[in-house]
Amino acid sequence: MDVIEKDNESSVTVKTSATNDSDEIWEIIDKEDDEDLRNLSAAVYAFILLVIGIPLWWRMTEVQRHPLPYSQISELSSMDIVIATDIFVFTKNPSDTERIIEHIYTKFNSTMFSVKAQTSTLIHSDDTFEKLETAITPLGSLQLIETTNVDSIVAGLGRNVYFPPATDISILMDSLERLLQTDALSDSMISMLNPGKHSEDAQVVAERQRRVRPSSNYNVLLTVVNPEPDKLRVSWKPEIPLNRYLQPLLNQLQLIANFSVQSQWLYLIDLIQKPVNLNGTFVLDKNQAQYIITPLEKKLGSGVSRDPCIHFVVYVTPCSFIPLYFHENNQLTTAMMSARWGGVQFLNADQIRCNESTESFIPDDLSIMSPIVTQFHSLIGVPDVSKYVLLMPHRSSTLRTWQLDSMYRLKIVEQYTNARITLTSLARLLGEISNIVIIEEVGKAVTESVEAAINVLQCLEKGQLEEALKFSKIAFETSEFAFTHPSLLALLYFPDDQKYAVYIPLFLPVMIPVLMSLKGVKKWIQLKYKI
Amino acid sequence: MYDKFLWIFLAFTGYVRSESYSEELFIKPLATGYVYSFFQFTIVREDNAFRHSSLFPHSLGDIINRFHVDELNVDLTSGLWRHKSWGYPAVDAPSGAEISARFHNDTIDVNKNWYGLTNALSGLLCTSLNFINSANSYESSADRVYRYSNLPRENVCTENLTPWKKLLPCDSTRGLSSLLNSGHVHNANYHSLGIHFRPLCNAGKCKYELRQTVSLVYDSTFISLNNNYDWSLRKMFGTGLFKTCPLADFSKLYIDTSSNSSVPYLLSQEPDYFLKDNIAVYNLISIFHLSAVVPRPKIAVSELRPLLYTDRFITGFGQEYGGLVTRIYNEHRLPVTAKVIENIPWFLPIYYHTLIVSSNGVRVNPKALIYKPGKGRIRIYYLEIVLELAPRSVTEISVQFDYVFLKWQEYPPDANHGFYIGSAIVEVTIPRHATSLTFDKSFIADNLNSSEADYLICLKTENFIITLPTPDFSMPYNVICLACTVVALAFGPIHNITTKRLKLTTAKYVPGLASILQKLYMWVENIALSKKINKVGNSAAVKVYAPEELSYHPTLGHVSEEFMNNQVYISYTKKWPLLKH
């Protein structure tokens, strides 16, 4: 303060040497100079705008982001799936058992499975075949039993695999690999993580492409199409065979997904493509199935449900085309499957009913339902190992226990991988697009999903398939919920250029004087405190 | 052909089905040359779990099932039904879309189901029912599970007719629905599509009925090419009937011939039988065509003049003193009790104290009155008045409202078109003979035969359009720009005044933009000059003056005396150039 005044005085004395009246007035004004006040006010402006204003503006215009477990999400992609599986081996000769166990360890070393092979203590050598079948084995395990009752490797109804003595161990190992579906599991994971890549085995790829997309709820809709209700009357109630044949299977799958079964009738929908007449038999090429599906599609859907729908269409053949078949690889079939969509089959009525038609045509439930059940198996992803292993005949639409186990494994891997991809994409999107909003609800869903995904891996390592399935379902559902939540897009249409069009006319004229005055303030502070 | 049909018919009825289907068409020539045709496609079903269906449309059944719907009425209408000259329609629907639903009593979150239902139906029928929200739907306090809404602005067109036809078992390929060609349907003066689902319970046993209806009114002076009021199926629908629907239990056509007594007319086919003497009935079996020759009467006498009709209009001038007037005309010789329900949207706030009910100009007190004030953006204004209408009287209900400003985002596209205000509903019980078709039973034939005394009808009044004050929609951006400019302009001087002061100092070199530019200019000039000098090869001597050599120039300050003299000389020569000579 003193320094400045002295400085001012000295300058004033220099001026006064000119001895002028007006200079005296200036002198007085200069003495009254409120430089401190002015600089202080400039500093206050700067403080309000820069220290309070900008952070406040930043905070208020910030896109809401509930904290997400990014580190855990990125950890997920570095964690491998390890499925703990018990394999019990039983042979008459303990040294054979040891040899098989050794082979199992070398075979499954480099796969997703962490196999724990051991000598079976559950059965005795003198047990009958019937008793062997009823042996209770833990969930997810397999039991290899050497028995003279079979001629080749046979997969039982439970979790038993029988093989005759003197079976080549490498063949046994290959069958075991098929039964555990190592290829299908890794293929479904690889194809999801790296689109375009897939397994070398064509059958595995075809099976994967046939499966309906993962979901926790499915609709199953059976549509009976009668194109000529005036000529042919069909007396059939689809609900009865559906309950009888499909329902037990759906009950068995209830841990995997909920299926809602519905049926409807449609009328007067004609074939667009005219079938070819081959010696009194009418034939449609399998590739022409779209000519049946397309005109149906517009009347099939219910439109209310968001869940994927598996369609089964029973097309009652028009009287003029009886009998009608699909033609595939020089074979005639009544049913064909469309991947991920469902199946179509022709129902050929008797020609007599058509012409005379005093009474209605009553179709055979089993002949309609058996292709439907087979197609349903393929669509939900039941492994087809009949090429490699003999299967013990099963008089029901339900799955064999080991098939159900492998369905569990497949669904766990599928749902887990799906959740993982969804979460990592979400995390990446959030990094790339700054306008995405994450509200608390979504944030919680993501956290829950990540925790469930980690639990899936832990449960799999312990071999707890049912728990893992439960967690994978949670992880899948919550990640889908978070990713498709509409609140994410709330601010997405507000582009940056519009933001700056609003901000620049305001901030530029305000900021320039404030920032320029900072220089003076700095000088003033330096002078005042002799810095 | 007939035999063949008969056995098909027998076969279908003989076969035990839980669902039955029938098609009916009711034609009624109206006064002044209009022809009213009413299609009804009825499916009756025994259970209400819609998982498995043979005739009931699966898509609609799924919606009904999913949202726990007990009763559903959807009407999509284009045009206005003129009660005064046309009498009563079978289904009274206001212009636009109207939907009402009753849910199962055990429904927990009725609103969630209601919005789910309207969204699903908007997808199913290609309508804008998804715009239904709490601000335009009415929930009754007496009936927890009932919801009602109307969208008067909805345009009904062929995109609604096509999905509507898809719900029929025979689609539009066979039967009466093949008469519904969109080109002709939308050529009508009035057309209304309806979907009506309800349970019909009798002694604890319920049946579930789905009626799909179409009402069409054609002006026969347009469709007949001569001067008469002739009409025919082909003239109205563009086609005759070729095939009946094989799934229908019966297909029937009814013609109301009651106007025959005043203006006799001629039908091209003899009817199969008569119902109640004046309803001609045709059983439709195969190819069918019908035409009527109706001479144009000398004086148009409307026999359909209804007992009760309504009128509604707005009053006020400009955007001031807005008033809403509903008139109910009672032509009956007995007093009639009527319930008037007004659903007024929240952006039209009404003043309850201005509510005046008068009968023939005399103010009367309503028998009952329920008023639920609306709430901005949340709830409609609901006014329910129960009145006894004096015999041969005109009752007027008037209430004043205000024109309000909306938020700029609440205006619809084309805001200057105006805002539609939906119709009022008048519920009255009138003698059955005065009504048109009734719907106690599933089929038209049964209803025509019914002989109960009174019937409750619902009249829907006109919609109207009001123009709310409409802003200039570039306003928000203008406001932002203006506000920013003002702030920026104000901030600069304020900042300067408070942080700087004007002070006179001795001339001192201050590096500013101007001086920098000047320096730059001199530098460029120097370069140019130096080049010139180099070329010329000589230099000018610079003279340095001592302070005492300088003299003062009023504008230029201290200059050399030589310069001063020159200046004086130049100025003189400029001012008086003649002096020199």
Side-chain angles (χ1 to χ4, degrees), chain B residues 48 64 68-72 102-104 197-199 208:
Chain B
N48 68 341
I64 288 171
H68 307 285
V69 180
D70 199 32
E71 196 180 327
L72 173 71
R102 178 170 281 114
F103 298 89
H104 290 309
F197 171 75
R198 63 175 178 180
Y208 298 88

Side-chain angles (χ1 to χ4, degrees), chain A residues 381-402:
Chain A
V382 176
D384 180 17
V385 290
S386 51
K387 269 192 198 169
Y388 312 97
V389 186
L390 269 184
L391 298 180
M392 200 172 277
H394 188 28
R395 299 199 147 274
S396 164
S397 67
T398 52
L399 301 176
R400 298 167 178 87
T401 320
W402 60 266

Side-chain angles (χ1 to χ4, degrees), chain A residues 26 29-30 33 38 41-42 45 230 233 261-265 267-268 299 302 304-305 357 509-510 513, chain B residues 7 11 51-54 58 62-63 66 166 171 173-174 246-247 480 488 491 494-495 498-499 501 503-504:
Chain A
W26 281 118
I29 291 170
D30 277 352
D33 190 10
R38 285 191 287 107
S41 85
Y45 272 112
D230 41 354
R233 237 160 11 92
V261 184
Q262 294 172 327
S263 78
Q264 67 170 340
W265 283 74
Y267 304 93
L268 302 165
K299 293 194 89 179
S302 79
V304 202
S305 171
S357 58
V510 170
Chain B
W7 78 235
R51 300 183 81 79
H52 304 279
S53 58
S54 62
H58 172 255
D62 203 18
I63 291 172
R66 185 174 293 256
K166 249 192 226 175
D171 206 327
T173 50
R174 311 272 172 93
L247 302 163
I480 291 170
F491 184 83
I494 292 173
H495 184 262
T498 48
T499 61
R501 57 174 300 181
K503 194 162 89 175
L504 195 69

Side-chain angles (χ1 to χ4, degrees), chain A residues 39 44 79 113 129-130 175 438 493 507:
Chain A
N39 280 310
V44 168
M79 288 199 258
F113 287 87
F129 198 63
E130 283 72 34
S175 318
I438 297 289
Y493 60 88
F507 285 139

